[in-house]
Amino acid sequence: MFGERVQRVEDPRLLTGQGRFVDDLGQQAVGVAFVRSPHAHARIRDIDVSQALDVEGLIAVYTWEDLPERLAQPLPLLIPHPALTHARTAYPLARDVVRHVGEPVVMVVAADRYLAEDACALIEVDYEPLKPVVGLEDAAQGAALVHEDVPGNVGAHLVQEVGNAREAIETAAHTLAFRLDIERSACTPLEGRGVYARWDGQDLRVYSSTQTSTSVRMAIAAKLNLPLPHVEVIAPDVGGGFGVKIVHPWPEELLVPWAAMTLGREVKWAEDRREHFISSAHERGQVQYVRVGFDDEGRIEGLEVTILHDHGAYTPYGIIVPIITSTQLLGPYKIGAYRVEFSSIYTNTVQVTPYRGAGRPQGVFCMERTMDKIAHYLDLDRTAVRANNFIQNDEFPYDQGLIFQDGRPLIYDSGDYPEMLRMIKELIGWDTFEQRPGLGIGIGCYVEGTGVGPYEGGHVQVTSDGRVHVSTGLTSQGQGHETVFAQIAATELGVPIERISVVTGDTRRFGYAVGTFASRAAVMSGNAIALACKKVRDKALRIAGEALEADPADLEIVDGVVRVKGAPEATIPLSTVAVLSNPLRYAFDEETSKATQFASASAGHPDRAPVAEGEEPGLEGRDYYSPIRSTFASGMHAAIVETDPLTAEIRVLRYAVVHDCGKLINPMIVEGQIHGGVAQGIGGALYERMVYDGDGQLLNASFMDFLMPYATEIPHIETAHLETPSPLNPLGIKGAGEAGVIPVAAVIASAIEDAEGIEIDRMPISPSELFHLRAR
């Protein structure tokens, strides 16, 4: 089944309304709503809840002062880093000062969400407005501070350098210097965040729309002072994540379970759309200053990039995003010398955490704009300049000399960039494209670190009915895990895929995991499941060999039946092997009677224990995969756009992708991931942005004002695959989840620039902005 275009097994359930999302659960639970700050920066002088106390159905009102000691502390800093010298995280409920519009101040519990909202409307919070810090450059000047104890609003400052970039630039034949801007956007999944909790006096069960149920579990246990075995966290069906749900614990993931324990009631909260805009997380916002030196062929001899990164009011996820930008910026190129410096800056806006692509779109925009500018300066074909800078096939593994987001060296494991360029040029028709006014072609290349550690695990069990049950700890948000993990198990075990079930994100089934992010699920859990399957297969063949009186090396498993190779009449069903793997004292049916003490194979061996030393009952296996470093996927995109001569409307006419994620488990699912990513990328290039005014108010916090592309804005996406297997994992695979979105802004900018002859240095770009650029 590995490599086959298998239809997604989860789709019938989801498409016929049988999905189970957080808000489908807990219909008898009481509801939660929050009073959230209307100010970007203010001191809380007083909170008056007296008028809300008369609301019928009100159960409880909580402020920061009501929280127990552990819960009243700031939320965890998930990923510390030596360069993050001034990390700051929020309190579950604001203490003394609010630092962005939407920060939670008061939690209200009532008989239902409607009554809770009514009570929230009657609570009066007396604020003393403080000067808001909005905009990267104003924030970097430090005239006003987001946190009084953070000088200059600088949370982190990091420099990485390979060679002497400044000297290389100064001595190069040609140099360029320019500025680039990427504005804010956000994940906006179809389903917002949500939490439902119930407490029975001893055990706490929490359902959360999360990308990391095991980590949420550990955070809840730590913050609520509960033994870990008494906490269960389950991610049911999750309606999209794209990064925002990897953050944990959100305030609500602690407050809702705490309220359930405090009140002895089932408690639920589901995020509404405005809350998602102003109270979850954003991404993308950066300003980049670039200096580059190059020779007559466009080969880069020195590159220096200085980045201002807006991380909003808090840094719960550390500085992963700017680290990824600064390292993945290099793409498929070998740069003579490279210096990158970034400052991660506080502003009075929603916190910034990873959004699909996680810093890579900004880095690729920087490098690909640089390549286009070099080509224009030298009057060379844009693809020729890229080809002149490529890492060549015989140079892998290629060490870029930097430290990646996983703390490991940035070493590319495999790839074939020249062939990929040939394929994308052929797919889009680069060499035959006919230039005319208002029509342009663009290209963008990228390398993506995937399969980030530290580990994931898999558990595989064959039951006495011959069914295979696969579980892994990471969660699913629509990626097709139930299908691809089943394909891996089917391939390894020789079992029809229809007899395989997959469970993800349920700590009752698998307690140790990291999470779903960074295009890592297939690489990490896929390999762990394959390793677990090998254990099951080896045990099955040993047991079957004894029953068939055959050497296990002479056996194979086909369609769920173990048979002797070349002698198909000598067989034993895998279901019977599962029965024999569990010596029984009691029989429950005809099948299990085969494993009782007078019928099992061990009955004739009185000198041998029914369960051999080092063995366990049952036909099951558990294993973990932990890589030495990330594996690096790559891709190249190209597009043809048309710009209207009067209205400056931008239409994407054609879009092509060549992608290399190593060996493909399911080409159709990979293409679906790419297509969805491209759609998000087009949104980020032409439509989606978060617009703050000078007072820190988000002006477009609704789907009436926040533009997204519809199907009418997304062209047919032409896709081709290149497979260069990774040598770092047994399956030879690389990640694919974020690939589609990464280079799109750079590709669209390149095509618009080609159509208009106007430099495009800021994204996203609207028709109005293009219109005014024409007038300059």
Side-chain angles (χ1 to χ4, degrees), residues 4 106 216 236 256 301 357 426 468 499 543 553 580 610:
E4 297 296 322
V106 183
V216 171
V256 170
E301 297 175 349
E426 181 179 297
V468 178
R499 300 190 66 78
I543 295 170
L580 297 177

Side-chain angles (χ1 to χ4, degrees), residues 602-609:
S602 64
H605 300 278
D607 58 339
R608 191 176 69 188

Side-chain angles (χ1 to χ4, degrees), residues 753-774:
E753 190 170 279
D754 187 51
E756 294 282 330
I758 299 171
E759 288 191 339
I760 306 297
D761 292 335
R762 175 188 290 271
M763 293 298 271
I765 185 169
S766 67
S768 176
E769 287 164 326
L770 179 57
F771 183 88
H772 287 97
L773 283 175
R774 287 172 173 175

Side-chain angles (χ1 to χ4, degrees), residues 593-715:
S593 68
K594 300 173 184 176
T596 56
Q597 61 261 43
F598 296 110
S600 66
S602 64
H605 300 278
D607 58 339
R608 191 176 69 188
V611 178
E613 185 177 350
E615 291 281 355
E616 295 180 357
L619 189 54
E620 56 187 286
R622 180 187 301 268
D623 212 331
Y624 293 85
Y625 172 67
S626 180
I628 58 172
R629 60 179 181 271
S630 298
T631 182
F632 288 84
S634 57
M636 297 183 191
H637 294 201
I640 296 174
V641 306
E642 182 180 56
T643 57
D644 189 281
L646 298 178
T647 66
E649 182 182 359
I650 303 159
R651 285 204 308 140
V652 183
L653 302 182
R654 288 185 62 198
Y655 203 97
V657 176
V658 176
H659 184 247
D660 174 11
C661 59
K663 294 179 67 176
L664 293 165
I665 303 171
N666 186 321
M668 183 173 62
I669 283 181
V670 171
E671 288 163 13
Q673 287 288 307
I674 290 171
H675 295 177
V678 169
Q680 278 185 301
I682 290 174
L686 299 178
Y687 305 102
E688 301 173 9
R689 71 182 79 197
M690 294 294 178
V691 181
Y692 279 96
D693 67 12
D695 294 321
Q697 296 291 332
L698 185 59
L699 301 181
N700 59 335
S702 76
F703 282 159
M704 289 184 67
D705 303 301
F706 179 80
L707 298 180
M708 293 186 295
Y710 296 162
T712 49
E713 279 72 59
I714 307 300

